[in-house]
Amino acid sequence: MDPIEEQIYVIIFATIFLAGLMSTFVISMIFIHRQRQNQNRQKIEHMQAEYERTMLNIENEIQNETLSHIGRELHDNIGQLLSLAKLNFNSSKPEKKTEGQTILNQVIQEVRGLSKTLNLDWVEETSLEDFIQQQLSKIESTGFCNTKLDYHGEQLQLNKDHKLVLIRVIQEVLNNAIKHASPKNIEISLESNGKGKNIYIKDDGKGFDVSKASNGSGMSNLKKRMQTIGGEFYITSKKQKGTEIKLSLPK
């Protein structure tokens, strides 16, 4: 075999080898790409399932709280009004019967109001700002502490699911402050501008060591709930210096 033929065979062999190498590389890249696609698909499915579970849990919690509220209202408020109406209707005095009718009309209005809270339609009808103001007003009306709500920028525009998560997180944060912090003041600030959407919840209560509290399920659960809507949960606190929580929302 002359040198020219040898060179041709070497070139052919090298070409076949490189073609095989390239084919193997391409096949490997396709395989890795498909693996990543499957992993990403599984991750998205897992996140979707986690999101749906979170929303279901939040809806159940709010509905259970609503039912408890209705139970208390039926027992403490409406039951008392009905007893009072009965006493007035049993009286022989005309003015007492008129008073009984007035009380009965009040009962009807109370029952209508309670019936609206049996579903979650109110979430769409109520702005987050109005909900927070209602919660703070309830706290202040008890004489527990002073409250304040501040706005910075535009009103927060949220869909029902995002609003539902925030409602539950804010409720839990306020409940924790009432149960554990014994504050004199609670302040909530809403911030919405080009830089982002944030909710700050501050109290001047006892405070605590955040590093020790991080092992608890409460804060972890709140963080996970914020993550389901693409948000973040931050907390800073010092003993005897109060606590500040920041809920950061996606732009």
Side-chain angles (χ1 to χ4, degrees):
M1 183 180 296
D2 59 42
I4 295 177
E5 288 180 340
E6 286 183 1
Q7 288 180 356
I8 292 173
Y9 280 121
V10 169
I11 293 171
I12 291 172
F13 176 77
T15 302
I16 293 172
F17 177 76
L18 288 174
L21 193 63
M22 286 297 296
S23 298
T24 303
F25 176 75
V26 170
I27 292 171
S28 298
M29 290 302 297
I30 292 172
F31 178 74
I32 292 171
H33 178 68
R34 286 182 177 175
Q35 268 193 325
R36 288 179 178 174
Q37 278 187 323
N38 289 333
Q39 289 174 351
N40 289 336
R41 191 180 299 111
Q42 289 174 356
K43 189 180 293 185
I44 291 170
E45 289 174 353
H46 175 75
M47 290 174 63
Q48 182 64 29
E50 184 67 26
Y51 174 79
E52 291 174 357
R53 280 196 298 271
T54 299
M55 293 308 305
L56 182 61
N57 288 337
I58 290 172
E59 288 185 2
N60 287 337
E61 287 171 4
I62 291 179
Q63 285 175 343
N64 287 336
E65 286 186 0
T66 299
L67 290 173
S68 296
H69 168 69
I70 289 172
R72 290 192 300 270
E73 285 293 305
L74 288 172
H75 180 269
D76 299 336
N77 183 25
I78 294 177
Q80 189 177 43
L81 288 172
L82 287 173
S83 297
L84 191 59
K86 182 180 178 181
L87 288 174
N88 280 281
F89 282 127
N90 287 337
S91 174
S92 58
K93 297 179 180 179
E95 63 271 19
K96 289 294 181 182
K97 294 185 184 297
T98 302
E99 187 176 342
Q101 185 64 48
T102 301
I103 295 172
L104 203 58
N105 289 334
Q106 184 181 347
V107 169
I108 291 170
Q109 294 301 318
E110 293 281 350
V111 171
R112 284 177 177 171
L114 288 175
S115 67
K116 292 180 180 179
T117 62
L118 285 172
N119 55 50
L120 295 176
D121 290 343
W122 59 269
V123 175
E124 293 182 347
E125 297 170 358
T126 303
S127 68
L128 186 67
E129 291 82 355
D130 287 342
F131 169 80
I132 292 173
Q133 186 60 69
Q134 290 169 9
Q135 296 297 302
L136 293 180
S137 296
K138 286 179 183 178
I139 293 172
E140 189 157 351
S141 67
T142 65
F144 179 79
C145 70
N146 297 318
T147 64
K148 184 180 178 181
L149 176 62
D150 282 333
Y151 304 88
H152 302 283
E154 303 172 354
Q155 187 178 52
L156 294 178
Q157 300 297 324
L158 303 164
N159 62 41
K160 178 183 174 182
D161 288 348
H162 286 198
K163 195 188 301 181
L164 200 57
V165 170
L166 286 171
I167 282 173
R168 191 64 190 133
V169 169
I170 292 168
Q171 280 182 323
E172 190 64 28
V173 170
L174 291 175
N175 286 338
N176 287 338
I178 292 169
K179 289 179 182 177
H180 307 297
S182 300
K184 293 181 180 178
N185 298 281
I186 294 177
E187 179 179 340
I188 297 181
S189 300
L190 303 178
E191 178 186 90
S192 178
N193 51 43
K195 296 180 180 179
K197 301 175 183 177
N198 301 299
I199 301 171
Y200 299 91
I201 307 172
K202 304 177 185 178
D203 71 65
D204 58 357
K206 296 178 181 178
F208 60 94
D209 188 339
V210 176
S211 62
K212 292 182 179 179
S214 62
N215 295 326
S217 61
M219 294 300 168
S220 176
N221 184 45
L222 293 177
K223 288 180 181 179
K224 286 180 181 177
R225 290 190 169 184
M226 287 301 298
Q227 288 170 359
T228 61
I229 60 173
E232 295 292 339
F233 179 97
Y234 304 97
I235 181 168
T236 56
S237 183
K238 290 184 179 179
K239 289 186 177 180
Q240 309 308 320
K241 296 291 185 180
T243 300
E244 177 175 319
I245 288 171
K246 176 184 175 183
L247 307 178
S248 181
L249 303 171
K251 295 181 181 180

